[in-house]
Amino acid sequence: MADVVSRLAEFAVQPRANFPQAMEQASIAGLLDTLAVTIAGSADADFRLLAQSIDVSPVSCRSALYSGPDTALLLGFASHVLDYDDVSMLCVCHPSAPIISALLAFCTSALATQPITGTSFLNAYCVGTEVMVRTGQALGFRHYQLGFHPTSTLGALGAAAAVCAALALSPRQCAAALGIAASMSGGLKKNFGSPVKPLHVGLAAASGLRAAQMALAGLGASPGPFEEGGFIHAFSGGTTDRWPEQLALGKPFAIMEPGFEAKRYPCCYLLHKTIEAVLEIQSDAGLQAPTWRRAEVRLPAGSLEALIHPYPTTGLAGKFSAPYVVAAGLLDGSIGLSSFKDSAVLRSDVQDRLHDVTVLEVGTAGDAGDDIGCAPVDVEVFWPGGGSSARRITASPGSSQDPMTRIQQREKWIDCLRAGRPGLSRAEADRQFGLGLGFVAMADVRPWLRELLPVDQQQSQPQKEAFP
Amino acid sequence: MADVVSRLAEFAVQPRANFPQAMEQASIAGLLDTLAVTIAGSADADFRLLAQSIDVSPVSCRSALYSGPDTALLLGFASHVLDYDDVSMLCVCHPSAPIISALLAFCTSALATQPITGTSFLNAYCVGTEVMVRTGQALGFRHYQLGFHPTSTLGALGAAAAVCAALALSPRQCAAALGIAASMSGGLKKNFGSPVKPLHVGLAAASGLRAAQMALAGLGASPGPFEEGGFIHAFSGGTTDRWPEQLALGKPFAIMEPGFEAKRYPCCYLLHKTIEAVLEIQSDAGLQAPTWRRAEVRLPAGSLEALIHPYPTTGLAGKFSAPYVVAAGLLDGSIGLSSFKDSAVLRSDVQDRLHDVTVLEVGTAGDAGDDIGCAPVDVEVFWPGGGSSARRITASPGSSQDPMTRIQQREKWIDCLRAGRPGLSRAEADRQFGLGLGFVAMADVRPWLRELLPVDQQQSQPQKEAFP
């Protein structure tokens, strides 16, 4: 039995002639979802602060451009700043954001000297998320409990594997990149609720890309980075030192089984079932909806640890407020990016109704995030005439039990692109969506990506400074 | 009692009018020692691979130059690649390398818009190493046992504090930088013995500098990064969650009490007492020395876990070989950088004698690295005529019990500078040492540093790319 890093590396860079069509579809959906939220996220004020903090060198001859890792840093930040990117509960992480960010930065960098086909990009994406999620499963839940942010710690490994696959490095080079990335992993859950949370995704993407670059240049790491006192030992707090033998790679890929959970709404994942119930009730009630008298929401125990803003006065706080999404959903009939602008939350016809929503926890809290994920949510809205409408939602919208339809994917795409680029017409956003659906057939994905992305890079080969 | 990050930040950026003269001397010695090994390290082959892996943007208008964080990455790597930089056994780390590397990169970057006095540089250096070492003490030895490399994990925090001090940021900004750096910390001991070990120092220095840049731009972190499930919890494997109340900052500074341990010889620290003993014996024996018959070395138990190459055939292996340093020391009468070239190790009059050295462990292995550090080493050399010479060395050369003399510091400096810059004359290296001794009185340290350092940076203000 080969050591863990050799198995991961062999898996990551093996050529794949047959790319199953179902995986093609899942990965295109994941790519477009991540691209959309990344473009939307690039309009965020903190994104601009981050860009300002990067010292771009050198100067004065033409507009300054970002290096590959800095592009990965920026795109990674943008991909997660809205907390609107997909989720995998297998190891409580956001799988697509760091991997796609690293691949996008790679594809638009000087490192990509050859055309990159849609198939090779999607293969690298599936490989990267697989290495990320399976390593998270090997670490176990203790990793999360200790305070590490799996999207960050594991993202660096997945991003390294993805870029190695896209570069078609040798297994030996890929093993070196994974060993280097293992020493770049970090990121603390303690920074949730601050701009450092999306920064984690940027750091992971940049680290993965950089580790692959270093391995390509010939830098080597120690053998066995995932065994005997290595990555798994350190990041599980010494709980385990080994990769579980039964944990296979790509049989099936995590993106296929159980699949990633896309976010239908740009807010806390624990609000998704509530919103779904409210919008169904609103849709049935029609003109009656705005006249609601009061509402009750029943959430699984533990939910309110995240939903900490019953009476929000900012858009960010609204993302963690059950009363807000009930009141806004019944008034507007939809929940989207514009629902979480400060001005939307501050509307008097919403603020006046927040106290009319009762939120209760039911049942007993489980040990893992997935327990909350599987439990049902009940919403009941009471009408002025005396009747009421009730809905129970068990499957989270966007999960494989209730996947997003093509129409919903398209609406999210258009909503996001127009948020990221205020001047963009709906028709143009729609046209880009159509192009994206044809991604797998692109002979070279770089021109389309360069057109879409909010960060420019150098387009020609860099020169190196001589050292004394 | 303020929270930990506030205390660290207040400490880091507080103005210090009085800089005690003894600390001035200790910090100049540490600075010159680190500068010397950094310049020597820049001649390393892996340093060039690392430089090649960095994509420098943009291109074609003039020679490409490195950004601030990339400069920190390169200088950090160079500072540690020879394993010749100083040590603090308080938390088993190399304190000066990451801090000085970050400060050097800062000083020579576009971020340093104002003159930087020698005093402010040295203050920042002392602040950075203090934050680093004390946080390591707060983590406890479990951190090292789990497999983390403290120089790397803690170096990012120390480097952030140092750059914040040099930039004279506010306590609030410094707290943000420390919170950001806490999420950038990583690095695994498993990568010892590979180029990823010095890379850790580069990553830590780059992360610290970047965290300070981000905080300066206005990015914020969560409150309390070092408490309640934060950095200390995660990196101690859940052993502790709090900063020990008795652990003060700067009372005294760690650089003063117990002080850092400079390396006299460019090899494993556990060989230092052996080398000292051999060179004393050689010096006394004079012309008789090369005729030695056999030798015995008695090391404290546990030493041979590191000294794993009894019969080395490369320079790198020679750094971990007791028989080699005995044979080479008796033949050459000195141990320096040239002793660890492949050609030096392969000399037949050394190779033929390796089996004439007996190495024994005595006593019982302790729990911590410091136990080995405090135990004596015995060397006995037997002469052809029948007599023998013996030495027992208890204080490690370079430690505060046997500090390097000014003459030894100067010899190490000259040796290092000439290794890093083969064309440099001894007289010019010596002249630079004299300038370095006057560092504290420099009104602006940047011109001298730019002349010395092996990495160029942009010298004017960067422009930023516009975002859509």
Side-chain angles (χ1 to χ4, degrees):
Chain A
M1 171 65 68
D3 66 334
V4 173
V5 76
S6 301
R7 285 159 59 194
L8 289 168
E10 293 275 358
F11 165 78
V13 299
Q14 79 184 67
R16 285 181 183 79
N18 296 314
F19 202 70
Q21 202 175 3
M23 199 153 93
E24 216 172 85
Q25 293 306 309
S27 57
I28 289 178
L31 167 67
L32 296 185
D33 189 74
T34 310
L35 269 174
V37 298
T38 302
I39 292 166
S42 70
D44 184 85
D46 282 327
F47 176 80
R48 286 167 183 276
L49 292 185
L50 180 66
Q52 277 168 31
S53 79
I54 297 176
D55 56 350
V56 175
S57 75
V59 288
S60 77
C61 54
R62 61 176 194 181
S63 69
L65 301 167
Y66 293 96
S67 70
D70 284 348
T71 302
L73 184 76
L74 287 164
L75 292 177
F77 187 95
S79 72
H80 191 54
V81 68
L82 299 174
D83 235 316
Y84 200 6
D85 55 308
D86 61 24
V87 174
S88 169
M89 293 307 280
L90 288 179
C91 66
V92 200
C93 76
H94 296 269
S96 295
I99 310 304
I100 295 282
S101 300
L103 284 173
L104 295 175
F106 162 69
C107 284
T108 54
S109 78
L111 205 60
T113 54
Q114 305 290 324
I116 295 156
T117 66
T119 313
S120 79
F121 185 105
L122 295 178
N123 172 64
Y125 165 42
C126 293
V127 158
T129 50
E130 183 72 0
V131 166
M132 177 177 178
V133 170
R134 300 307 177 194
T135 308
Q137 290 183 276
L139 281 180
F141 198 60
R142 178 76 181 145
H143 180 62
Y144 196 80
Q145 290 174 323
L146 279 171
F148 291 107
H149 181 196
T151 303
S152 184
T153 50
L154 302 166
L157 297 175
V163 177
C164 288
L167 273 167
L169 296 190
S170 69
R172 195 182 55 76
Q173 287 172 314
C174 182
L178 290 170
I180 294 167
S183 265
M184 292 171 157
S185 277
L188 301 174
K189 253 172 33 198
K190 187 80 187 191
N191 270 318
F192 281 14
S194 85
V196 185
K197 190 189 182 211
L199 180 65
H200 287 165
V201 177
L203 292 168
S207 293
L209 176 56
R210 183 147 266 184
Q213 287 177 309
M214 290 173 177
L216 177 65
L219 227 62
S222 289
F226 299 105
E227 289 135 329
E228 291 166 7
F231 182 89
I232 292 178
H233 187 259
F235 281 105
S236 71
T239 303
T240 177
D241 210 14
R242 57 205 308 191
W243 187 276
E245 280 306 319
Q246 73 282 10
L247 189 61
L249 293 164
K251 297 172 183 174
F253 279 78
I255 193 174
M256 294 303 297
E257 179 56 41
F260 305 153
E261 299 163 42
K263 280 194 178 177
R264 281 266 296 280
Y265 309 106
C267 59
C268 181
Y269 197 61
L270 296 180
L271 285 175
H272 273 53
K273 296 178 191 177
T274 302
I275 294 171
E276 195 72 5
V278 168
L279 295 183
E280 285 189 14
I281 290 169
Q282 197 274 354
S283 174
D284 283 356
L287 289 175
Q288 186 190 6
T291 69
W292 63 288
R293 196 159 57 80
R294 65 181 191 87
E296 281 182 14
V297 180
R298 287 183 172 73
L299 299 168
S303 302
L304 294 181
E305 280 183 41
L307 304 176
I308 53 179
H309 294 291
Y311 311 119
T313 56
T314 67
L316 185 58
K319 293 182 181 228
F320 302 89
S321 174
Y324 173 67
V325 297
V326 171
L330 288 171
L331 182 66
D332 301 331
S334 67
I335 293 287
L337 283 170
S338 60
S339 309
F340 299 101
K341 289 183 173 167
D342 291 350
S343 57
V345 172
L346 288 169
R347 289 175 293 175
S348 62
D349 44 2
V350 171
Q351 286 287 328
D352 290 349
R353 306 306 306 272
L354 297 177
H355 286 272
D356 298 327
V357 183
T358 309
V359 181
L360 304 166
E361 286 192 353
V362 295
T364 317
D367 285 342
D370 212 17
D371 295 339
I372 296 179
C374 296
V377 167
D378 290 290
V379 176
E380 186 164 11
V381 177
F382 298 87
W383 307 114
S388 74
S389 303
R391 282 291 185 292
R392 160 169 289 205
I393 305 289
T394 302
S396 216
S399 70
S400 56
Q401 290 77 40
D402 179 15
M404 283 180 47
T405 64
R406 175 65 54 83
I407 290 172
Q408 288 166 339
Q409 290 169 359
R410 178 169 156 271
E411 282 309 308
K412 180 174 175 179
W413 170 276
I414 293 170
D415 198 25
C416 281
L417 257 67
R418 298 188 73 195
R421 299 179 168 184
L424 195 73
S425 72
R426 197 179 156 79
E428 174 58 16
D430 198 15
R431 190 181 76 83
Q432 292 291 349
F433 186 72
L435 293 175
L437 289 179
F439 188 85
V440 73
M442 291 184 191
D444 188 0
V445 301
R446 296 176 301 170
W448 185 63
L449 292 177
R450 285 216 180 93
E451 190 184 335
L452 273 180
L453 290 179
V455 180
D456 283 348
Q457 285 189 311
Q458 73 277 10
Q459 315 233 346
S460 42
Q461 205 51 20
Q463 297 175 326
K464 297 290 155 29
E465 177 75 351
F467 287 95
Chain B
M1 171 64 67
D3 66 336
V4 173
V5 76
S6 302
R7 285 159 60 194
L8 289 168
E10 293 275 357
F11 166 79
V13 299
Q14 83 185 63
R16 286 180 182 80
N18 295 315
F19 201 71
Q21 202 175 3
M23 199 153 92
E24 215 172 86
Q25 291 308 309
S27 56
I28 289 179
L31 167 67
L32 296 185
D33 189 73
T34 310
L35 269 174
V37 297
T38 302
I39 292 166
S42 71
D44 184 84
D46 282 328
F47 176 80
R48 286 168 183 271
L49 291 184
L50 180 66
Q52 278 169 30
S53 79
I54 297 175
D55 56 350
V56 175
S57 73
V59 286
S60 77
C61 56
R62 60 177 194 176
S63 69
L65 301 167
Y66 292 96
S67 71
D70 283 348
T71 303
L73 183 76
L74 286 165
L75 292 176
F77 186 95
S79 72
H80 192 52
V81 68
L82 300 174
D83 236 316
Y84 201 7
D85 54 308
D86 62 24
V87 173
S88 169
M89 293 306 282
L90 287 178
C91 65
V92 198
C93 75
H94 295 269
S96 295
I99 310 304
I100 295 282
S101 300
L103 284 173
L104 294 176
F106 162 71
C107 284
T108 54
S109 79
L111 204 62
T113 53
Q114 305 289 325
I116 295 155
T117 65
T119 312
S120 79
F121 185 105
L122 295 178
N123 173 63
Y125 165 42
C126 293
V127 159
T129 50
E130 184 72 359
V131 167
M132 176 176 178
V133 170
R134 299 308 179 198
T135 307
Q137 291 183 275
L139 281 181
F141 197 60
R142 178 77 181 142
H143 180 61
Y144 195 80
Q145 289 173 322
L146 280 171
F148 291 108
H149 182 195
T151 303
S152 185
T153 50
L154 301 164
L157 298 174
V163 176
C164 288
L167 273 167
L169 295 190
S170 71
R172 195 181 56 76
Q173 289 171 311
C174 182
L178 291 171
I180 294 168
S183 266
M184 293 171 157
S185 276
L188 302 174
K189 252 172 35 195
K190 186 79 186 191
N191 270 318
F192 281 15
S194 85
V196 185
K197 191 190 182 206
L199 180 64
H200 288 165
V201 177
L203 292 167
S207 293
L209 175 56
R210 182 147 265 183
Q213 287 177 309
M214 289 175 178
L216 177 65
L219 227 62
S222 289
F226 299 104
E227 286 135 330
E228 290 165 11
F231 181 89
I232 292 177
H233 186 260
F235 281 105
S236 71
T239 304
T240 177
D241 211 15
R242 57 205 307 193
W243 187 276
E245 281 306 320
Q246 74 280 10
L247 188 62
L249 293 162
K251 295 172 182 173
F253 280 76
I255 193 175
M256 294 302 297
E257 179 56 43
F260 304 152
E261 299 163 42
K263 280 193 178 177
R264 281 268 296 281
Y265 309 105
C267 59
C268 181
Y269 199 62
L270 295 180
L271 284 176
H272 274 53
K273 295 178 190 177
T274 303
I275 295 170
E276 195 73 5
V278 168
L279 296 184
E280 285 190 14
I281 291 169
Q282 196 274 355
S283 174
D284 282 358
L287 290 176
Q288 185 189 9
T291 68
W292 62 288
R293 197 159 56 82
R294 65 184 191 85
E296 280 183 14
V297 181
R298 287 185 173 71
L299 299 168
S303 301
L304 294 183
E305 280 183 39
L307 305 176
I308 54 178
H309 293 292
Y311 311 119
T313 55
T314 66
L316 185 58
K319 292 181 180 227
F320 302 90
S321 175
Y324 174 66
V325 298
V326 171
L330 289 172
L331 182 67
D332 302 330
S334 68
I335 294 286
L337 283 169
S338 59
S339 309
F340 298 102
K341 290 184 173 166
D342 290 349
S343 56
V345 172
L346 287 171
R347 288 175 293 175
S348 60
D349 45 1
V350 172
Q351 287 286 329
D352 291 349
R353 307 306 308 270
L354 297 177
H355 286 272
D356 298 327
V357 183
T358 309
V359 181
L360 304 166
E361 286 193 350
V362 295
T364 318
D367 283 342
D370 212 18
D371 294 338
I372 296 179
C374 296
V377 167
D378 289 290
V379 176
E380 185 164 10
V381 176
F382 298 88
W383 307 113
S388 74
S389 304
R391 281 291 186 293
R392 159 169 288 204
I393 305 289
T394 302
S396 217
S399 71
S400 56
Q401 290 77 39
D402 178 16
M404 284 184 40
T405 63
R406 175 65 53 84
I407 289 172
Q408 288 166 340
Q409 290 169 0
R410 177 168 158 272
E411 282 309 308
K412 180 174 176 179
W413 169 277
I414 294 171
D415 197 25
C416 281
L417 257 67
R418 299 188 73 195
R421 301 181 168 183
L424 195 74
S425 72
R426 197 179 157 81
E428 175 57 17
D430 197 18
R431 189 181 76 83
Q432 293 292 350
F433 186 73
L435 292 174
L437 289 178
F439 187 86
V440 73
M442 291 185 192
D444 188 0
V445 302
R446 296 176 300 170
W448 185 64
L449 292 177
R450 285 216 180 92
E451 190 184 336
L452 271 181
L453 289 179
V455 180
D456 282 350
Q457 286 190 311
Q458 73 278 10
Q459 315 234 345
S460 43
Q461 205 53 21
Q463 294 174 331
K464 295 293 154 29
E465 177 75 349
F467 288 96

